[in-house]
Amino acid sequence: MTEAPPWTGAAKALADKVTADAPAWHEAVSNTPRHRLVPRWWQRIPDSPTQEWALVDLPEDSPERLHAAYSDETLVTRVGPTHADHATPGEHGKGDPTSSSTLPGLIVSMAHRLDVKPGHKVLDVGTGSGYSAGLFARRFGDDNVTSVDVDPYLVEAARTRLAEFGRTPRVEAIDATGDLPDSEYDRIMATVSVRPVPASWLRALRPGGRLVTTIAHTALLITADMGTDGIASGTVQPDPATFMETRQEADYPAKLNDVFVTARVREGDDVRPPDGPVPDLWQEWPLRWLFELDTPGVETRAATYPDDGRRVVWLLAADGSWARAEDGASPVVHQGGPRRLWDDLERVRRKWEEKNRFSLHTMRAELSPEGSYLLSPDDTWRFPI
Protein backbone atom coordinates (compact mmCIF):
# COMPACT_ATOMS: atom_id res chain seq x y z
CA MET A 1 0.00 0.00 0.00
CA THR A 2 1.42 3.40 -1.03
CA GLU A 3 2.05 5.71 1.89
CA ALA A 4 0.21 9.04 1.70
CA PRO A 5 2.46 12.05 1.09
CA PRO A 6 3.20 14.21 4.14
CA TRP A 7 1.02 17.10 3.01
CA THR A 8 -2.24 15.15 3.03
CA GLY A 9 -2.50 15.06 6.81
CA ALA A 10 -1.86 18.79 7.02
CA ALA A 11 -4.44 19.49 4.31
CA LYS A 12 -7.06 17.37 6.09
CA ALA A 13 -6.40 19.19 9.36
CA LEU A 14 -6.89 22.50 7.53
CA ALA A 15 -10.13 21.18 6.00
CA ASP A 16 -11.37 20.10 9.43
CA LYS A 17 -10.82 23.67 10.61
CA VAL A 18 -12.10 25.80 7.75
CA THR A 19 -15.05 23.76 6.48
CA ALA A 20 -16.93 23.26 9.76
CA ASP A 21 -19.72 25.51 8.46
CA ALA A 22 -19.29 24.38 4.85
CA PRO A 23 -18.75 20.58 5.01
CA ALA A 24 -19.34 20.12 1.29
CA TRP A 25 -15.92 21.72 0.72
CA HIS A 26 -14.01 19.35 3.03
CA GLU A 27 -13.00 16.92 0.28
CA ALA A 28 -11.72 19.68 -2.02
CA VAL A 29 -9.62 21.33 0.69
CA SER A 30 -8.27 17.98 1.83
CA ASN A 31 -7.09 17.12 -1.68
CA THR A 32 -5.72 20.41 -2.97
CA PRO A 33 -1.94 20.73 -2.36
CA ARG A 34 -1.66 24.41 -1.52
CA HIS A 35 2.06 24.08 -0.79
CA ARG A 36 2.68 23.28 -4.47
CA LEU A 37 0.88 26.44 -5.55
CA VAL A 38 2.90 28.66 -3.19
CA PRO A 39 6.52 27.44 -3.27
CA ARG A 40 7.90 30.79 -2.00
CA TRP A 41 6.37 33.83 -0.39
CA TRP A 42 7.14 37.13 1.32
CA GLN A 43 6.98 37.68 5.07
CA ARG A 44 6.74 41.18 6.50
CA ILE A 45 9.84 42.28 8.47
CA PRO A 46 8.50 43.54 11.82
CA ASP A 47 8.87 47.28 12.48
CA SER A 48 10.50 47.84 9.10
CA PRO A 49 10.43 51.62 8.51
CA THR A 50 10.38 51.18 4.72
CA GLN A 51 7.83 48.33 4.68
CA GLU A 52 10.29 45.62 3.73
CA TRP A 53 9.60 41.91 3.28
CA ALA A 54 11.84 38.89 3.70
CA LEU A 55 11.77 35.96 1.26
CA VAL A 56 10.61 32.60 2.64
CA ASP A 57 11.99 29.69 0.62
CA LEU A 58 11.70 26.27 2.29
CA PRO A 59 12.10 22.67 1.05
CA GLU A 60 8.86 21.32 -0.45
CA ASP A 61 7.98 18.75 2.19
CA SER A 62 9.66 20.42 5.16
CA PRO A 63 7.48 20.64 8.30
CA GLU A 64 7.89 24.43 8.29
CA ARG A 65 6.59 24.82 4.73
CA LEU A 66 3.69 22.44 5.26
CA HIS A 67 2.76 24.20 8.49
CA ALA A 68 2.67 27.59 6.74
CA ALA A 69 0.87 26.35 3.62
CA TYR A 70 -1.86 24.56 5.59
CA SER A 71 -2.41 27.26 8.18
CA ASP A 72 -5.46 29.46 7.74
CA GLU A 73 -3.34 32.43 6.80
CA THR A 74 -2.72 34.59 3.76
CA LEU A 75 0.66 34.08 2.08
CA VAL A 76 1.88 37.19 0.24
CA THR A 77 3.43 36.10 -3.06
CA ARG A 78 4.08 39.45 -4.76
CA VAL A 79 5.25 42.76 -3.27
CA GLY A 80 5.27 45.83 -5.49
CA PRO A 81 6.36 44.53 -8.91
CA THR A 82 8.40 41.60 -7.53
CA HIS A 83 7.03 38.07 -7.29
CA ALA A 84 8.64 35.78 -4.71
CA ASP A 85 9.38 33.30 -7.50
CA HIS A 86 11.75 35.85 -9.06
CA ALA A 87 13.52 37.00 -5.91
CA THR A 88 17.12 36.07 -5.17
CA PRO A 89 18.17 34.56 -1.83
CA GLY A 90 18.48 37.29 0.78
CA GLU A 91 16.58 39.83 -1.32
CA HIS A 92 14.07 42.06 0.43
CA GLY A 93 10.79 43.04 -1.17
CA LYS A 94 9.59 46.61 -0.75
CA GLY A 95 6.12 48.11 -0.92
CA ASP A 96 2.55 46.94 -0.66
CA PRO A 97 1.35 43.41 -1.50
CA THR A 98 0.18 43.05 -5.10
CA SER A 99 -0.76 39.36 -5.05
CA SER A 100 -1.27 36.65 -2.46
CA SER A 101 -2.74 33.27 -1.69
CA THR A 102 -5.76 34.28 0.38
CA LEU A 103 -6.37 32.56 3.70
CA PRO A 104 -8.25 29.33 2.92
CA GLY A 105 -11.00 29.93 5.47
CA LEU A 106 -12.09 33.09 3.66
CA ILE A 107 -12.00 31.36 0.28
CA VAL A 108 -14.19 28.55 1.61
CA SER A 109 -16.59 30.99 3.29
CA MET A 110 -17.03 32.97 0.06
CA ALA A 111 -17.32 29.82 -2.07
CA HIS A 112 -19.96 28.51 0.33
CA ARG A 113 -21.91 31.76 -0.08
CA LEU A 114 -21.58 31.46 -3.85
CA ASP A 115 -23.72 28.29 -3.63
CA VAL A 116 -22.44 26.65 -6.81
CA LYS A 117 -24.51 23.75 -8.13
CA PRO A 118 -23.29 20.88 -10.35
CA GLY A 119 -23.07 22.04 -13.95
CA HIS A 120 -22.80 25.72 -13.08
CA LYS A 121 -20.27 27.78 -15.00
CA VAL A 122 -18.02 29.59 -12.50
CA LEU A 123 -15.83 32.66 -13.01
CA ASP A 124 -13.03 33.05 -10.45
CA VAL A 125 -11.73 36.64 -10.61
CA GLY A 126 -8.21 37.02 -9.24
CA THR A 127 -6.30 33.82 -9.98
CA GLY A 128 -3.39 34.66 -7.67
CA SER A 129 -1.73 31.38 -6.72
CA GLY A 130 -4.55 29.35 -8.29
CA TYR A 131 -5.82 27.96 -4.99
CA SER A 132 -9.47 29.01 -5.32
CA ALA A 133 -9.53 27.86 -8.96
CA GLY A 134 -8.11 24.53 -7.79
CA LEU A 135 -10.83 24.12 -5.16
CA PHE A 136 -13.61 24.94 -7.63
CA ALA A 137 -12.16 22.63 -10.26
CA ARG A 138 -11.75 19.77 -7.77
CA ARG A 139 -15.36 20.00 -6.67
CA PHE A 140 -17.20 20.98 -9.86
CA GLY A 141 -14.90 19.87 -12.68
CA ASP A 142 -12.22 21.66 -14.68
CA ASP A 143 -14.49 22.39 -17.65
CA ASN A 144 -16.88 24.42 -15.48
CA VAL A 145 -14.25 26.80 -14.08
CA THR A 146 -12.64 29.88 -15.61
CA SER A 147 -10.09 31.88 -13.63
CA VAL A 148 -8.72 35.29 -14.68
CA ASP A 149 -5.95 37.60 -13.51
CA VAL A 150 -4.36 40.75 -14.94
CA ASP A 151 -0.83 39.41 -14.42
CA PRO A 152 0.40 37.04 -17.19
CA TYR A 153 3.06 35.51 -14.94
CA LEU A 154 0.54 34.66 -12.21
CA VAL A 155 -1.70 33.04 -14.80
CA GLU A 156 1.07 30.97 -16.37
CA ALA A 157 2.46 29.87 -12.99
CA ALA A 158 -0.97 28.90 -11.68
CA ARG A 159 -1.88 27.04 -14.89
CA THR A 160 1.39 25.06 -14.79
CA ARG A 161 1.22 24.24 -11.08
CA LEU A 162 -2.43 23.25 -11.18
CA ALA A 163 -1.74 20.92 -14.12
CA GLU A 164 1.07 19.24 -12.18
CA PHE A 165 -1.53 17.67 -9.90
CA GLY A 166 -4.19 17.10 -12.56
CA ARG A 167 -6.27 20.29 -12.43
CA THR A 168 -6.91 22.02 -15.75
CA PRO A 169 -9.45 24.84 -15.37
CA ARG A 170 -9.37 27.58 -18.00
CA VAL A 171 -6.97 30.26 -16.80
CA GLU A 172 -6.65 33.52 -18.77
CA ALA A 173 -4.64 36.74 -18.44
CA ILE A 174 -7.09 39.62 -18.86
CA ASP A 175 -8.16 42.85 -17.20
CA ALA A 176 -11.30 41.52 -15.54
CA THR A 177 -12.85 45.00 -15.36
CA GLY A 178 -13.26 44.78 -19.16
CA ASP A 179 -14.45 42.04 -21.47
CA LEU A 180 -14.57 38.50 -20.06
CA PRO A 181 -13.48 35.24 -21.75
CA ASP A 182 -17.11 34.09 -22.12
CA SER A 183 -20.43 35.88 -22.28
CA GLU A 184 -22.37 33.94 -19.65
CA TYR A 185 -21.67 32.63 -16.14
CA ASP A 186 -23.84 31.18 -13.38
CA ARG A 187 -21.54 32.24 -10.56
CA ILE A 188 -18.85 34.93 -10.22
CA MET A 189 -16.53 35.19 -7.20
CA ALA A 190 -13.88 37.88 -6.91
CA THR A 191 -10.87 37.70 -4.62
CA VAL A 192 -9.94 41.21 -5.68
CA SER A 193 -11.95 44.26 -4.64
CA VAL A 194 -13.66 46.53 -7.14
CA ARG A 195 -15.23 49.94 -7.51
CA PRO A 196 -17.18 50.29 -9.67
CA VAL A 197 -18.60 46.79 -9.96
CA PRO A 198 -17.67 46.01 -13.58
CA ALA A 199 -20.58 46.20 -16.02
CA SER A 200 -19.10 43.21 -17.87
CA TRP A 201 -19.67 40.99 -14.82
CA LEU A 202 -23.30 42.00 -14.59
CA ARG A 203 -23.90 41.54 -18.31
CA ALA A 204 -22.37 38.06 -18.12
CA LEU A 205 -24.25 36.92 -15.01
CA ARG A 206 -27.21 34.77 -16.02
CA PRO A 207 -30.66 35.32 -14.48
CA GLY A 208 -30.60 33.43 -11.19
CA GLY A 209 -26.82 33.75 -11.10
CA ARG A 210 -24.92 34.94 -8.05
CA LEU A 211 -22.03 37.37 -7.55
CA VAL A 212 -19.80 37.56 -4.47
CA THR A 213 -17.34 40.46 -4.30
CA THR A 214 -15.90 43.18 -2.09
CA ILE A 215 -15.87 46.95 -2.54
CA ALA A 216 -12.44 48.54 -2.94
CA HIS A 217 -10.93 50.33 0.08
CA THR A 218 -13.55 48.85 2.39
CA ALA A 219 -14.17 45.48 4.05
CA LEU A 220 -17.71 45.26 2.66
CA LEU A 221 -18.49 41.82 1.26
CA ILE A 222 -21.52 41.74 -1.04
CA THR A 223 -23.62 38.82 -2.24
CA ALA A 224 -26.13 39.58 -4.99
CA ASP A 225 -28.45 37.47 -7.16
CA MET A 226 -29.29 38.43 -10.73
CA GLY A 227 -32.95 38.94 -11.54
CA THR A 228 -34.74 38.58 -14.84
CA ASP A 229 -34.78 42.39 -15.10
CA GLY A 230 -30.99 42.63 -15.39
CA ILE A 231 -30.56 43.94 -11.82
CA ALA A 232 -28.64 41.91 -9.23
CA SER A 233 -30.07 42.45 -5.75
CA GLY A 234 -28.30 41.56 -2.54
CA THR A 235 -26.90 42.64 0.78
CA VAL A 236 -23.70 43.42 2.64
CA GLN A 237 -22.66 40.31 4.55
CA PRO A 238 -22.12 40.47 8.33
CA ASP A 239 -18.52 39.29 8.24
CA PRO A 240 -16.01 41.70 6.68
CA ALA A 241 -13.38 40.77 4.10
CA THR A 242 -10.58 42.78 2.57
CA PHE A 243 -8.81 42.21 -0.75
CA MET A 244 -6.33 44.06 -2.91
CA GLU A 245 -8.16 46.08 -5.52
CA THR A 246 -8.05 45.41 -9.23
CA ARG A 247 -5.07 46.96 -10.97
CA GLN A 248 -4.06 47.57 -14.57
CA GLU A 249 -0.35 48.22 -14.00
CA ALA A 250 2.46 46.20 -12.45
CA ASP A 251 2.03 48.04 -9.14
CA TYR A 252 -0.52 50.25 -7.43
CA PRO A 253 -0.20 54.05 -7.56
CA ALA A 254 2.23 55.50 -5.02
CA LYS A 255 0.89 56.61 -1.66
CA LEU A 256 0.26 60.31 -1.13
CA ASN A 257 3.54 61.04 0.63
CA ASP A 258 3.87 64.50 -0.94
CA VAL A 259 0.47 65.51 0.41
CA PHE A 260 1.39 64.02 3.78
CA VAL A 261 4.50 66.20 3.99
CA THR A 262 2.21 69.21 3.76
CA ALA A 263 -0.46 67.81 6.08
CA ARG A 264 1.90 66.55 8.75
CA VAL A 265 2.60 69.82 10.55
CA ARG A 266 1.50 72.76 8.38
CA GLU A 267 -1.01 75.31 9.63
CA GLY A 268 -4.27 74.79 7.79
CA ASP A 269 -6.15 77.30 5.67
CA ASP A 270 -9.09 76.42 7.91
CA VAL A 271 -8.46 75.81 11.63
CA ARG A 272 -11.24 74.98 14.08
CA PRO A 273 -12.24 72.63 16.89
CA PRO A 274 -13.69 69.30 15.74
CA ASP A 275 -17.42 68.76 15.86
CA GLY A 276 -17.36 66.01 18.47
CA PRO A 277 -14.61 63.52 19.40
CA VAL A 278 -11.81 62.78 16.97
CA PRO A 279 -12.70 59.24 15.80
CA ASP A 280 -10.28 56.35 15.76
CA LEU A 281 -10.98 55.25 12.21
CA TRP A 282 -9.22 51.92 12.75
CA GLN A 283 -11.60 51.03 15.57
CA GLU A 284 -14.68 52.83 14.22
CA TRP A 285 -14.43 51.01 10.93
CA PRO A 286 -18.12 51.37 9.96
CA LEU A 287 -17.65 55.14 9.91
CA ARG A 288 -14.43 54.71 7.94
CA TRP A 289 -16.13 52.59 5.28
CA LEU A 290 -19.16 54.92 5.05
CA PHE A 291 -16.76 57.82 4.55
CA GLU A 292 -15.01 55.88 1.79
CA LEU A 293 -18.34 55.13 0.13
CA ASP A 294 -19.35 58.80 0.32
CA THR A 295 -15.96 60.40 -0.40
CA PRO A 296 -13.89 57.79 -2.25
CA GLY A 297 -10.14 57.71 -2.57
CA VAL A 298 -9.16 59.45 0.67
CA GLU A 299 -6.04 58.01 2.27
CA THR A 300 -6.14 57.82 6.07
CA ARG A 301 -3.18 57.80 8.44
CA ALA A 302 -2.88 58.00 12.21
CA ALA A 303 -0.28 58.28 14.94
CA THR A 304 0.07 58.87 18.67
CA TYR A 305 2.39 61.55 19.99
CA PRO A 306 4.88 59.84 22.35
CA ASP A 307 5.27 62.83 24.68
CA ASP A 308 1.64 63.23 25.76
CA GLY A 309 -0.31 60.39 24.13
CA ARG A 310 -2.38 62.68 21.89
CA ARG A 311 -3.83 60.99 18.81
CA VAL A 312 -3.64 62.54 15.38
CA VAL A 313 -5.55 61.51 12.25
CA TRP A 314 -4.70 62.64 8.71
CA LEU A 315 -6.95 62.55 5.66
CA LEU A 316 -5.17 62.91 2.30
CA ALA A 317 -6.47 63.22 -1.26
CA ALA A 318 -4.80 63.13 -4.67
CA ASP A 319 -6.05 66.63 -5.51
CA GLY A 320 -3.94 68.04 -2.67
CA SER A 321 -6.73 68.30 -0.13
CA TRP A 322 -5.77 67.33 3.40
CA ALA A 323 -6.94 67.41 7.00
CA ARG A 324 -5.20 66.85 10.32
CA ALA A 325 -7.21 66.31 13.50
CA GLU A 326 -5.59 66.20 16.92
CA ASP A 327 -7.35 65.22 20.13
CA GLY A 328 -6.25 66.03 23.66
CA ALA A 329 -7.11 68.86 26.06
CA SER A 330 -7.75 71.30 23.17
CA PRO A 331 -8.73 69.27 20.10
CA VAL A 332 -8.11 71.01 16.80
CA VAL A 333 -8.63 70.37 13.08
CA HIS A 334 -6.43 71.81 10.32
CA GLN A 335 -7.62 71.64 6.70
CA GLY A 336 -6.04 72.66 3.42
CA GLY A 337 -6.33 72.24 -0.33
CA PRO A 338 -9.41 72.58 -2.56
CA ARG A 339 -11.70 70.44 -0.38
CA ARG A 340 -12.47 70.30 3.34
CA LEU A 341 -12.06 66.59 4.02
CA TRP A 342 -12.76 66.75 7.75
CA ASP A 343 -16.01 68.60 7.03
CA ASP A 344 -16.93 65.70 4.74
CA LEU A 345 -16.14 63.14 7.43
CA GLU A 346 -18.21 64.99 10.02
CA ARG A 347 -21.10 65.32 7.56
CA VAL A 348 -21.06 61.54 7.03
CA ARG A 349 -20.93 60.92 10.78
CA ARG A 350 -23.88 63.27 11.44
CA LYS A 351 -25.96 61.67 8.72
CA TRP A 352 -25.17 58.19 10.02
CA GLU A 353 -26.13 59.25 13.56
CA GLU A 354 -29.40 60.70 12.24
CA LYS A 355 -30.11 57.25 10.82
CA ASN A 356 -29.43 55.62 14.22
CA ARG A 357 -25.99 54.34 13.23
CA PHE A 358 -27.42 51.44 11.22
CA SER A 359 -25.28 48.30 10.88
CA LEU A 360 -23.55 48.21 7.52
CA HIS A 361 -24.69 44.64 6.88
CA THR A 362 -28.27 45.96 6.78
CA MET A 363 -27.45 47.85 3.57
CA ARG A 364 -28.89 46.61 0.29
CA ALA A 365 -27.09 46.27 -3.03
CA GLU A 366 -28.62 47.01 -6.42
CA LEU A 367 -26.21 46.20 -9.24
CA SER A 368 -26.74 46.68 -12.96
CA PRO A 369 -24.58 47.42 -16.02
CA GLU A 370 -26.06 50.93 -16.08
CA GLY A 371 -25.06 51.68 -12.48
CA SER A 372 -24.61 49.96 -9.13
CA TYR A 373 -25.47 51.24 -5.65
CA LEU A 374 -25.44 50.44 -1.97
CA LEU A 375 -28.49 51.76 -0.15
CA SER A 376 -29.11 52.53 3.51
CA PRO A 377 -31.89 50.51 5.19
CA ASP A 378 -34.40 53.35 4.61
CA ASP A 379 -33.28 53.67 0.94
CA THR A 380 -32.56 57.41 1.32
CA TRP A 381 -28.74 57.24 1.25
CA ARG A 382 -27.32 55.88 -2.02
CA PHE A 383 -23.66 55.20 -2.69
CA PRO A 384 -22.46 54.50 -6.26
CA ILE A 385 -20.24 51.41 -6.29
Side-chain angles (χ1 to χ4, degrees), residues 36-37 153-167 171:
R36 295 180 64 177
L37 296 169
Y153 176 74
L154 294 177
V155 164
E156 182 57 35
R159 183 188 293 123
T160 299
R161 289 166 180 164
L162 287 164
E164 287 173 352
F165 55 88
R167 295 270 62 91
V171 189

PDB file of all heavy atoms in Angstrom, residues 36-37 153-167 171:
ATOM      1  N   ARG A  36       2.107  23.331  -3.121  1.00  0.00           N
ATOM      2  CA  ARG A  36       2.676  23.276  -4.468  1.00  0.00           C
ATOM      3  C   ARG A  36       2.300  24.505  -5.290  1.00  0.00           C
ATOM      4  O   ARG A  36       2.946  24.815  -6.298  1.00  0.00           O
ATOM      5  CB  ARG A  36       2.220  21.999  -5.166  1.00  0.00           C
ATOM      6  CG  ARG A  36       2.764  20.740  -4.474  1.00  0.00           C
ATOM      7  CD  ARG A  36       2.325  19.471  -5.141  1.00  0.00           C
ATOM      8  NE  ARG A  36       2.842  19.340  -6.508  1.00  0.00           N
ATOM      9  CZ  ARG A  36       2.633  18.264  -7.270  1.00  0.00           C
ATOM     10  NH1 ARG A  36       1.920  17.255  -6.792  1.00  0.00           N
ATOM     11  NH2 ARG A  36       3.117  18.224  -8.492  1.00  0.00           N
ATOM     12  N   LEU A  37       1.279  25.220  -4.872  1.00  0.00           N
ATOM     13  CA  LEU A  37       0.876  26.443  -5.553  1.00  0.00           C
ATOM     14  C   LEU A  37       1.623  27.667  -5.019  1.00  0.00           C
ATOM     15  O   LEU A  37       1.682  28.702  -5.689  1.00  0.00           O
ATOM     16  CB  LEU A  37      -0.634  26.667  -5.384  1.00  0.00           C
ATOM     17  CG  LEU A  37      -1.524  25.601  -6.032  1.00  0.00           C
ATOM     18  CD1 LEU A  37      -2.968  25.773  -5.586  1.00  0.00           C
ATOM     19  CD2 LEU A  37      -1.419  25.655  -7.551  1.00  0.00           C
ATOM     20  N   TYR A 153       2.223  36.485 -15.639  1.00  0.00           N
ATOM     21  CA  TYR A 153       3.058  35.509 -14.935  1.00  0.00           C
ATOM     22  C   TYR A 153       2.241  34.704 -13.933  1.00  0.00           C
ATOM     23  O   TYR A 153       2.387  33.473 -13.841  1.00  0.00           O
ATOM     24  CB  TYR A 153       4.237  36.169 -14.213  1.00  0.00           C
ATOM     25  CG  TYR A 153       4.999  35.128 -13.416  1.00  0.00           C
ATOM     26  CD1 TYR A 153       5.809  34.205 -14.071  1.00  0.00           C
ATOM     27  CD2 TYR A 153       4.832  35.008 -12.036  1.00  0.00           C
ATOM     28  CE1 TYR A 153       6.449  33.193 -13.370  1.00  0.00           C
ATOM     29  CE2 TYR A 153       5.479  34.006 -11.333  1.00  0.00           C
ATOM     30  CZ  TYR A 153       6.284  33.095 -11.994  1.00  0.00           C
ATOM     31  OH  TYR A 153       6.906  32.089 -11.295  1.00  0.00           O
ATOM     32  N   LEU A 154       1.368  35.376 -13.173  1.00  0.00           N
ATOM     33  CA  LEU A 154       0.538  34.657 -12.212  1.00  0.00           C
ATOM     34  C   LEU A 154      -0.305  33.604 -12.908  1.00  0.00           C
ATOM     35  O   LEU A 154      -0.454  32.477 -12.421  1.00  0.00           O
ATOM     36  CB  LEU A 154      -0.371  35.639 -11.464  1.00  0.00           C
ATOM     37  CG  LEU A 154       0.295  36.658 -10.540  1.00  0.00           C
ATOM     38  CD1 LEU A 154      -0.761  37.582  -9.939  1.00  0.00           C
ATOM     39  CD2 LEU A 154       1.073  35.966  -9.427  1.00  0.00           C
ATOM     40  N   VAL A 155      -0.851  33.963 -14.055  1.00  0.00           N
ATOM     41  CA  VAL A 155      -1.696  33.035 -14.802  1.00  0.00           C
ATOM     42  C   VAL A 155      -0.897  31.827 -15.276  1.00  0.00           C
ATOM     43  O   VAL A 155      -1.316  30.679 -15.114  1.00  0.00           O
ATOM     44  CB  VAL A 155      -2.349  33.764 -15.988  1.00  0.00           C
ATOM     45  CG1 VAL A 155      -2.909  32.780 -16.997  1.00  0.00           C
ATOM     46  CG2 VAL A 155      -3.443  34.702 -15.486  1.00  0.00           C
ATOM     47  N   GLU A 156       0.266  32.070 -15.849  1.00  0.00           N
ATOM     48  CA  GLU A 156       1.074  30.974 -16.366  1.00  0.00           C
ATOM     49  C   GLU A 156       1.559  30.070 -15.233  1.00  0.00           C
ATOM     50  O   GLU A 156       1.520  28.828 -15.354  1.00  0.00           O
ATOM     51  CB  GLU A 156       2.267  31.522 -17.147  1.00  0.00           C
ATOM     52  CG  GLU A 156       3.145  30.443 -17.779  1.00  0.00           C
ATOM     53  CD  GLU A 156       2.377  29.526 -18.715  1.00  0.00           C
ATOM     54  OE1 GLU A 156       1.450  30.011 -19.392  1.00  0.00           O
ATOM     55  OE2 GLU A 156       2.692  28.315 -18.752  1.00  0.00           O
ATOM     56  N   ALA A 157       1.998  30.668 -14.124  1.00  0.00           N
ATOM     57  CA  ALA A 157       2.464  29.866 -12.993  1.00  0.00           C
ATOM     58  C   ALA A 157       1.332  29.031 -12.416  1.00  0.00           C
ATOM     59  O   ALA A 157       1.500  27.837 -12.122  1.00  0.00           O
ATOM     60  CB  ALA A 157       3.068  30.774 -11.920  1.00  0.00           C
ATOM     61  N   ALA A 158       0.163  29.639 -12.238  1.00  0.00           N
ATOM     62  CA  ALA A 158      -0.975  28.900 -11.681  1.00  0.00           C
ATOM     63  C   ALA A 158      -1.401  27.778 -12.615  1.00  0.00           C
ATOM     64  O   ALA A 158      -1.663  26.646 -12.174  1.00  0.00           O
ATOM     65  CB  ALA A 158      -2.134  29.854 -11.422  1.00  0.00           C
ATOM     66  N   ARG A 159      -1.479  28.066 -13.923  1.00  0.00           N
ATOM     67  CA  ARG A 159      -1.881  27.040 -14.887  1.00  0.00           C
ATOM     68  C   ARG A 159      -0.930  25.845 -14.828  1.00  0.00           C
ATOM     69  O   ARG A 159      -1.353  24.683 -14.799  1.00  0.00           O
ATOM     70  CB  ARG A 159      -1.909  27.640 -16.287  1.00  0.00           C
ATOM     71  CG  ARG A 159      -2.392  26.664 -17.349  1.00  0.00           C
ATOM     72  CD  ARG A 159      -2.220  27.241 -18.740  1.00  0.00           C
ATOM     73  NE  ARG A 159      -3.084  28.383 -18.991  1.00  0.00           N
ATOM     74  CZ  ARG A 159      -2.661  29.585 -19.360  1.00  0.00           C
ATOM     75  NH1 ARG A 159      -1.359  29.810 -19.501  1.00  0.00           N
ATOM     76  NH2 ARG A 159      -3.517  30.554 -19.594  1.00  0.00           N
ATOM     77  N   THR A 160       0.390  26.132 -14.803  1.00  0.00           N
ATOM     78  CA  THR A 160       1.386  25.059 -14.788  1.00  0.00           C
ATOM     79  C   THR A 160       1.312  24.253 -13.503  1.00  0.00           C
ATOM     80  O   THR A 160       1.334  23.013 -13.518  1.00  0.00           O
ATOM     81  CB  THR A 160       2.790  25.665 -14.955  1.00  0.00           C
ATOM     82  OG1 THR A 160       2.864  26.348 -16.206  1.00  0.00           O
ATOM     83  CG2 THR A 160       3.859  24.590 -14.888  1.00  0.00           C
ATOM     84  N   ARG A 161       1.209  24.930 -12.368  1.00  0.00           N
ATOM     85  CA  ARG A 161       1.216  24.240 -11.082  1.00  0.00           C
ATOM     86  C   ARG A 161      -0.064  23.447 -10.855  1.00  0.00           C
ATOM     87  O   ARG A 161      -0.027  22.344 -10.288  1.00  0.00           O
ATOM     88  CB  ARG A 161       1.471  25.246  -9.960  1.00  0.00           C
ATOM     89  CG  ARG A 161       2.905  25.761  -9.975  1.00  0.00           C
ATOM     90  CD  ARG A 161       3.122  26.992  -9.124  1.00  0.00           C
ATOM     91  NE  ARG A 161       4.534  27.413  -9.207  1.00  0.00           N
ATOM     92  CZ  ARG A 161       4.976  28.599  -8.828  1.00  0.00           C
ATOM     93  NH1 ARG A 161       4.141  29.506  -8.326  1.00  0.00           N
ATOM     94  NH2 ARG A 161       6.268  28.896  -8.943  1.00  0.00           N
ATOM     95  N   LEU A 162      -1.189  24.003 -11.280  1.00  0.00           N
ATOM     96  CA  LEU A 162      -2.435  23.248 -11.178  1.00  0.00           C
ATOM     97  C   LEU A 162      -2.367  21.970 -12.022  1.00  0.00           C
ATOM     98  O   LEU A 162      -2.782  20.890 -11.575  1.00  0.00           O
ATOM     99  CB  LEU A 162      -3.611  24.109 -11.630  1.00  0.00           C
ATOM    100  CG  LEU A 162      -4.054  25.222 -10.674  1.00  0.00           C
ATOM    101  CD1 LEU A 162      -4.945  26.228 -11.395  1.00  0.00           C
ATOM    102  CD2 LEU A 162      -4.789  24.628  -9.472  1.00  0.00           C
ATOM    103  N   ALA A 163      -1.820  22.083 -13.226  1.00  0.00           N
ATOM    104  CA  ALA A 163      -1.742  20.920 -14.117  1.00  0.00           C
ATOM    105  C   ALA A 163      -0.841  19.832 -13.551  1.00  0.00           C
ATOM    106  O   ALA A 163      -1.050  18.641 -13.823  1.00  0.00           O
ATOM    107  CB  ALA A 163      -1.249  21.359 -15.492  1.00  0.00           C
ATOM    108  N   GLU A 164       0.141  20.219 -12.755  1.00  0.00           N
ATOM    109  CA  GLU A 164       1.066  19.237 -12.179  1.00  0.00           C
ATOM    110  C   GLU A 164       0.359  18.250 -11.254  1.00  0.00           C
ATOM    111  O   GLU A 164       0.856  17.149 -11.035  1.00  0.00           O
ATOM    112  CB  GLU A 164       2.190  19.961 -11.451  1.00  0.00           C
ATOM    113  CG  GLU A 164       3.198  20.622 -12.392  1.00  0.00           C
ATOM    114  CD  GLU A 164       4.212  21.479 -11.649  1.00  0.00           C
ATOM    115  OE1 GLU A 164       4.034  21.676 -10.419  1.00  0.00           O
ATOM    116  OE2 GLU A 164       5.172  21.950 -12.294  1.00  0.00           O
ATOM    117  N   PHE A 165      -0.789  18.640 -10.690  1.00  0.00           N
ATOM    118  CA  PHE A 165      -1.534  17.666  -9.900  1.00  0.00           C
ATOM    119  C   PHE A 165      -2.933  17.423 -10.499  1.00  0.00           C
ATOM    120  O   PHE A 165      -3.888  17.079  -9.805  1.00  0.00           O
ATOM    121  CB  PHE A 165      -1.611  18.048  -8.414  1.00  0.00           C
ATOM    122  CG  PHE A 165      -2.158  19.415  -8.094  1.00  0.00           C
ATOM    123  CD1 PHE A 165      -3.516  19.618  -7.914  1.00  0.00           C
ATOM    124  CD2 PHE A 165      -1.296  20.500  -7.941  1.00  0.00           C
ATOM    125  CE1 PHE A 165      -4.014  20.867  -7.595  1.00  0.00           C
ATOM    126  CE2 PHE A 165      -1.788  21.757  -7.619  1.00  0.00           C
ATOM    127  CZ  PHE A 165      -3.157  21.939  -7.450  1.00  0.00           C
ATOM    128  N   GLY A 166      -3.023  17.581 -11.833  1.00  0.00           N
ATOM    129  CA  GLY A 166      -4.186  17.105 -12.559  1.00  0.00           C
ATOM    130  C   GLY A 166      -5.354  18.050 -12.685  1.00  0.00           C
ATOM    131  O   GLY A 166      -6.424  17.657 -13.165  1.00  0.00           O
ATOM    132  N   ARG A 167      -5.176  19.314 -12.334  1.00  0.00           N
ATOM    133  CA  ARG A 167      -6.271  20.288 -12.427  1.00  0.00           C
ATOM    134  C   ARG A 167      -6.049  21.175 -13.642  1.00  0.00           C
ATOM    135  O   ARG A 167      -4.975  21.772 -13.797  1.00  0.00           O
ATOM    136  CB  ARG A 167      -6.357  21.152 -11.174  1.00  0.00           C
ATOM    137  CG  ARG A 167      -6.720  20.402  -9.904  1.00  0.00           C
ATOM    138  CD  ARG A 167      -8.237  20.349  -9.678  1.00  0.00           C
ATOM    139  NE  ARG A 167      -8.988  19.656 -10.705  1.00  0.00           N
ATOM    140  CZ  ARG A 167      -9.285  18.368 -10.691  1.00  0.00           C
ATOM    141  NH1 ARG A 167      -8.856  17.605  -9.702  1.00  0.00           N
ATOM    142  NH2 ARG A 167      -9.993  17.837 -11.658  1.00  0.00           N
ATOM    143  N   VAL A 171      -7.603  29.155 -17.514  1.00  0.00           N
ATOM    144  CA  VAL A 171      -6.967  30.265 -16.803  1.00  0.00           C
ATOM    145  C   VAL A 171      -6.474  31.261 -17.845  1.00  0.00           C
ATOM    146  O   VAL A 171      -5.686  30.897 -18.731  1.00  0.00           O
ATOM    147  CB  VAL A 171      -5.795  29.780 -15.919  1.00  0.00           C
ATOM    148  CG1 VAL A 171      -5.292  30.910 -15.034  1.00  0.00           C
ATOM    149  CG2 VAL A 171      -6.210  28.593 -15.050  1.00  0.00           C
TER     150      VAL A 171
END
